[in-house]
Amino acid sequence: MRILDLQHIKKSFGDNEVLKDIDLAVEEGQVVSIIGPSGSGKSTLLRIATFLETMDDGTLSYNEKPVVTSINHIASYDHKKAIEEAMNTFGLVFQNFNLFPHFTVLKNIIDAPIRNQKRNKQEVIQEARELLKKMGLSDKENAYPCELSGGQQQRVSIARALALKPKILFFDEPTSALDPELTLEILKVIKELAKEKMTMVIVTHEMQFARDVSDVIVFMDKGVIVEKTTPQKMFTSDNERTKAFLGKYYDQQETH
Amino acid sequence: MNLMDLFVQLAGGMGTTLQIFFLTLIFSLPLGLIVAFGRMSKHLILKNIVRVYISIMRGTPLMLQLLVVYFGPYYMFGITISPMYRGVAVIIAFALNYAAYFAEIYRSGIESMPKGQYEAAKVLGYSKTATFFVIILPQVIKRILPSLTNEIITLVKDTSLAFSIAYAEMFTEAKAIAATSRSMMPFVAAAIFYYIFNAVVAFVMETIEKKMSYYE
């Protein structure tokens, strides 16, 4: 099953063309990492996939059901109901968590499934407690986000996304706001999810992590996909641009 | 003149003052939110009408607005004003005026909310209405409480402006007693009343602020 299918995505902000004809498909159970320098368009691509930004042209399908089609080279979004349905199939973890500060940890996790998916409250609470246990936060269910470390907050936000039972989970630089120690904490959680065959798309600057966890790595630069291949092939690529970008990563490794 | 006697004499007027205060809040706090929506609307005509309304309310004296609301129906449309209308005019003028101030306070609070809160709510499937009332507004209220307190304290003192259309609230009565008794004491009593009233308002608002300080 192809969970996500983006084709011929084009997006400009004013005169600045940030995405130039991008294709990205994600199969069920796949983990896809998107790497590339800042300003390469990877976050914009993720924001388009999650409807936080609209594309200028291209097509988008979730579960092989088209929600955005291209008509005369202009993206045409399906009606509200279809988009809501598509939005219910994915979860998104933000760089700076975006937890609701006035809700407790538990309420952050259970409010959306109860209010928006109209699910049984007791059942949702039970599942939320299991998620918290998995995240190592069982003792924090009554804490407020401001009482937690960045790493704990990000784990809560992952639990919040998972509580809606998404078929695919997007991560937008999930460790960029964290120090190296807390970063490892989050990467561990994501690796666990990968083991459980959670379908994921991860925008990241953590090269070693991308290499370890991904089935496919996409390298983007200046609004185009330079390479899209397995970690092994990516890290032994002959492509000059890829080598230059990953070269910086190898330099970093050596100085460690 | 004994202060205690004065307070007894002024008791009825104090009741009226309290009535102006609470009725103004009951009408202007929700109205202010609606005005704030108009002010932030993408609809240009609506937005500009609201902008002009706020500008007039803030740019002219409340006393003058009160006179216009009270005498306007007679001078503009020849409608005979009944004495009953006096109290109504006070509430209309106060509510319209305070709604404008509250609207700007709400707007400042709403516009200070980080975009990420809206994005998280959208991705989690909250409707626009739920996003506003469940996620945004509770946080906005916490942010704007100090400014609200300021405005509410001003309202306590502004109730005295009702004397300009001879509405029998506390200050109007204190003035009358002072004139007939040729004494300063009624004003002293009035000052004590406003001071205690505002001390209570400040205390209540502080308590609410503390209650909401469970998160940052």
Side-chain angles (χ1 to χ4, degrees), chain A residues 133-150:
Chain A
K133 198 171 155 199
K134 203 165 135 188
M135 299 290 157
L137 294 169
S138 286
D139 53 334
K140 299 288 183 197
E141 74 169 61
N142 293 315
Y144 286 91
C146 63
E147 298 164 338
L148 305 179
S149 73

Side-chain angles (χ1 to χ4, degrees), chain A residues 149-152 155 180-190:
Chain A
S149 73
Q152 290 171 330
R155 277 184 278 159
E181 214 173 336
L182 298 177
T183 295
L184 287 180
E185 214 181 278
I186 296 305
L187 299 184
K188 213 179 111 198
V189 170
I190 300 175

Side-chain angles (χ1 to χ4, degrees), chain B residues 33 37 40 106 110 118 121 126-140:
Chain B
L33 192 55
F37 282 136
M40 293 182 291
Y106 285 126
I110 292 169
Y118 290 96
Y126 288 87
S127 68
K128 281 207 167 122
T129 318
T131 300
F132 185 74
F133 286 103
V134 179
I135 309 297
I136 303 299
L137 189 60
Q139 296 184 61
V140 165

Side-chain angles (χ1 to χ4, degrees), chain B residues 87-112:
Chain B
V88 176
V90 169
I91 302 304
I92 292 175
F94 274 65
L96 287 177
N97 179 277
Y98 271 81
Y101 283 93
F102 287 144
E104 287 296 274
I105 294 177
Y106 285 126
R107 183 170 72 95
S108 72
I110 292 169
E111 288 180 349
S112 77

Side-chain angles (χ1 to χ4, degrees), chain A residues 68-82:
Chain A
V68 185
T69 47
S70 176
I71 299 173
N72 297 326
H73 300 293
I74 294 170
S76 159
Y77 281 74
D78 208 339
H79 55 84
K80 206 175 146 211
K81 199 112 194 208

Side-chain angles (χ1 to χ4, degrees), chain A residues 84-103:
Chain A
E84 274 171 13
E85 198 189 315
M87 289 197 75
N88 208 10
T89 60
F90 63 79
L92 171 62
V93 174
F94 295 88
Q95 182 177 341
N96 41 12
F97 333 132
N98 291 333
L99 291 174
F100 302 133
H102 57 310
F103 286 174

